[in-house]
């Protein structure tokens, strides 16, 4: 039995440690909707350095694996997504929930992460399975009429060489899915689907509930550790240092003591705090895009030519300042996310 418990503890710590590594990957994966992503540039730079010490055959195998992983549709990140949630919620249920229940935490507070998990999984399934707004021969004519070409980021008459159709304004061809998507935002590897006009609302709710999940687990876990410290009266105690001198308990000693007493809980807390900060920042960014009626693709394109405007040379060398022509005010911009114009147009036709 002790060997079984030791194996389970090692596996849990390994999974939680893996979370830290995958969080860094998640930051890079945010950029995967771009033609030349940050991840691609990082991989290319690393491969150039390692090419001097790695055999050619191994390089080819590695490049094929990376291309299949980051440039084709794959369920790997979906599996990792589920595994990470299972690791966090397993630790929360196995230890944090039990300890908090013994300390008489309110039941509704302890059940809140599970309610958010149910909502998050629902949004995840809808986001991954919904049609993002695939442009086909049958709906192309109607989609072209929805958004006007701004003449800067989106030019009239540009034909997609893969789909062999003129690109409607705000659309983009996804190299992962090999389709053109209406109001393309980015391709999200965590849901294994493009984010476009028809599933942007699901992605926004998915991101919001995921952030709320991490924050709730972090708050409850922090409250539990604080309660343990207060009940033990540890802050008023003292300890003997390496030099044999008696010292008052400090924050660093307290953290070390909690880590040695609850290693898995402290590991999980560190991960969910980091995840809350990362997801919170990304959630605020997506809220900003929604309020200004922009997509990640449009924001990135505009920043390549300037922070707040795009400068383009016109006849007679006249500079034209790019402005977002799609913004219709905060309320209408939010309404467009949850009720895209394509749905309204379909209703009009029926």
């Amino acid at each position: 039995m002790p060997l079984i418990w030791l194996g389970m503890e090692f596996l849990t710590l390994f999974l939680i440690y893996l979370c830290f590594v995958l969080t860094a990957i998640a930051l890079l994966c945010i950029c995967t909707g771009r033609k030349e992503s940050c991840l691609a540039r990082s991989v290319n730079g690393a491969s150039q350095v390692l090419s001097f010490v790695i055999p050619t055959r191994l390089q080819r195998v590695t490049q094929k694996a990376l291309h299949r992983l980051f440039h084709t549709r794959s369920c790997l990140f979906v599996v990792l997504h589920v595994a990470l949630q299972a690791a966090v919620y397993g630790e929360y249920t196995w230890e944090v929930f039990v300890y908090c229940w013994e300390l008489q935490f309110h039941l509704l507070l302890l059940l809140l992460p599970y309610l958010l998990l149910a909502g998050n999984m629902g949004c995840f399934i809808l986001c991954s399975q919904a049609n993002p707004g695939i442009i086909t021969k049958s709906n192309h004519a109607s989609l072209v009429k929805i958004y006007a070409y701004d003449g800067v980021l989106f030019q009239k008459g540009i034909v997609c060489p893969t789909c062999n159709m003129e690109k409607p304004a705000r659309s983009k061809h996804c190299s992962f899915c090999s389709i053109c998507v209406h109001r393309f935002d980015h391709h999200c590897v965590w849901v294994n689907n493009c984010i476009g006009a028809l599933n942007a609302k699901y992605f926004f709710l998915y991101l919001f509930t995921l952030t709320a999940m991490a924050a709730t687990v972090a708050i409850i876990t922090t409250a539990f550790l604080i309660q343990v410290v207060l009940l033990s009266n540890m802050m008023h105690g003292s300890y003997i240092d390496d030099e044999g001198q008696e010292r008052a308990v400090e924050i660093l000693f307290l953290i070390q003591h909690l880590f040695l007493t609850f290693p898995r809980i402290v590991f999980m807390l560190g991960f969910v705090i980091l995840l809350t900060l990362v997801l919170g920042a990304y959630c605020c960014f997506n809220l900003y895009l929604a309020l200004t009626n922009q997509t990640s693709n449009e924001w990135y394109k505009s920043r390549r030519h300037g922070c707040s405007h795009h400068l383009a040379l016109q006849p007679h060398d006249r500079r034209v300042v790019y402005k977002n022509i799609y913004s219709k005010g905060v309320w209408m911009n939010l309404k467009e996310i949850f009720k895209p114009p394509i749905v309204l147009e379909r209703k009009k036709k029926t």
Side-chain angles (χ1 to χ4, degrees):
M1 288 296 292
L3 290 177
I4 296 177
W5 284 109
L6 183 61
M8 291 179 62
E9 182 170 348
F10 174 79
L11 179 61
T12 305
L13 288 174
F14 173 76
L15 287 174
I16 296 177
Y17 173 76
L18 183 64
C19 294
F20 287 97
V21 179
L22 292 174
T23 301
I25 295 177
L27 286 173
L28 294 174
C29 289
I30 290 173
C31 308
T32 53
R34 306 171 184 173
K35 184 177 181 181
E36 183 181 0
S37 65
C38 298
L39 180 60
R41 291 195 295 268
S42 301
V43 170
N44 291 333
S47 62
Q48 292 177 1
V49 175
L50 296 176
S51 62
F52 297 101
V53 294
I54 298 178
T56 305
R57 181 173 296 181
L58 183 58
Q59 290 183 40
R60 292 175 181 174
V61 173
T62 304
Q63 288 175 355
K64 288 182 180 179
L66 290 174
H67 182 271
R68 183 174 181 81
L69 184 61
F70 295 111
H71 295 278
T72 58
R73 292 195 69 177
S74 172
C75 293
L76 176 62
F77 282 95
V78 176
V79 175
L80 289 176
H81 176 277
V82 176
L84 291 178
Q85 283 191 336
V88 171
Y89 272 84
E91 177 60 26
Y92 174 79
T93 305
W94 189 262
E95 289 193 297
V96 177
F97 184 92
V98 175
Y99 289 143
C100 289
W101 178 254
E102 293 177 354
L103 292 174
Q104 297 182 344
F105 277 55
H106 199 285
L107 180 60
L108 183 60
L109 176 64
L110 297 179
L111 293 178
L112 183 57
Y114 298 105
L115 298 176
L116 291 171
L117 176 63
N120 179 257
M121 292 305 297
C123 294
F124 170 79
I125 294 173
L126 289 172
C127 187
S128 60
Q129 298 299 320
N131 176 7
I134 301 174
I135 302 174
T136 62
K137 299 286 186 181
S138 59
N139 63 12
H140 177 268
S142 60
L143 294 180
V144 170
K145 301 176 182 178
I146 293 179
Y147 294 114
Y149 293 94
D150 59 10
V152 181
L153 298 183
F154 303 102
Q155 304 282 349
K156 186 177 179 59
I158 303 297
V159 177
C160 174
T162 304
C163 300
N164 195 27
M165 291 185 296
E166 181 183 4
K167 292 183 178 181
R170 310 192 77 180
S171 68
K172 187 180 184 297
H173 183 84
C174 177
S175 58
F176 289 81
C177 305
S178 191
I179 55 173
C180 281
V181 178
H182 176 56
R183 199 183 183 275
F184 179 85
D185 191 276
H186 71 288
H187 181 92
C188 180
V189 295
W190 296 107
V191 300
N192 198 27
N193 198 6
C194 291
I195 308 302
L198 300 185
N199 66 346
K201 54 181 175 291
Y202 302 133
F203 178 75
F204 185 81
L205 294 174
Y206 159 76
L207 189 61
F208 175 78
T209 53
L210 192 62
T211 306
M213 282 167 49
T216 304
V217 172
I219 292 172
I220 295 175
T221 305
T222 303
F224 159 69
L225 294 176
I226 292 175
Q227 189 76 352
V228 168
V229 172
L230 294 177
L231 291 175
S232 63
N233 204 25
M234 192 181 304
M235 292 300 296
H236 300 287
S238 60
Y239 69 98
I240 306 299
D241 63 10
D242 297 335
E243 299 177 355
Q245 296 181 355
E246 185 176 359
R247 293 182 177 274
V249 172
E250 301 170 347
I251 296 297
L252 182 59
F253 175 83
L254 188 61
I255 294 175
Q256 292 175 348
H257 176 76
L258 290 174
F259 180 78
L260 293 174
T261 308
F262 308 103
R264 294 191 299 268
I265 294 179
V266 175
F267 247 90
M268 183 195 70
L269 178 60
F271 168 67
V272 292
I273 288 177
L274 177 62
L275 194 62
T276 301
L277 295 176
V278 173
L279 290 176
Y282 189 50
C283 194
C284 291
F285 173 67
N286 275 268
L287 179 61
Y288 161 75
L289 293 179
L291 294 177
T292 56
N293 204 332
Q294 297 183 80
T295 65
S296 299
N297 178 53
E298 294 164 4
W299 181 87
Y300 175 67
K301 279 185 175 181
S302 64
R303 291 311 175 275
R304 285 190 305 178
H305 305 283
C307 290
S308 59
H309 54 266
H310 175 97
L311 298 179
L313 288 176
Q314 298 292 329
H316 309 295
D317 293 334
R318 184 163 53 98
R319 290 185 177 272
V320 177
V321 177
Y322 168 74
K323 293 183 179 180
N324 180 14
I325 65 172
Y326 305 113
S327 180
K328 305 170 185 176
V330 172
W331 172 247
M332 293 301 297
N333 292 342
L334 280 176
K335 183 179 178 181
E336 186 170 317
I337 295 294
F338 292 93
K339 199 172 183 180
I342 183 173
V343 177
L344 296 176
E345 183 164 321
R346 282 179 178 174
K347 286 183 178 180
K348 290 177 181 178
K349 290 183 177 181
T350 58

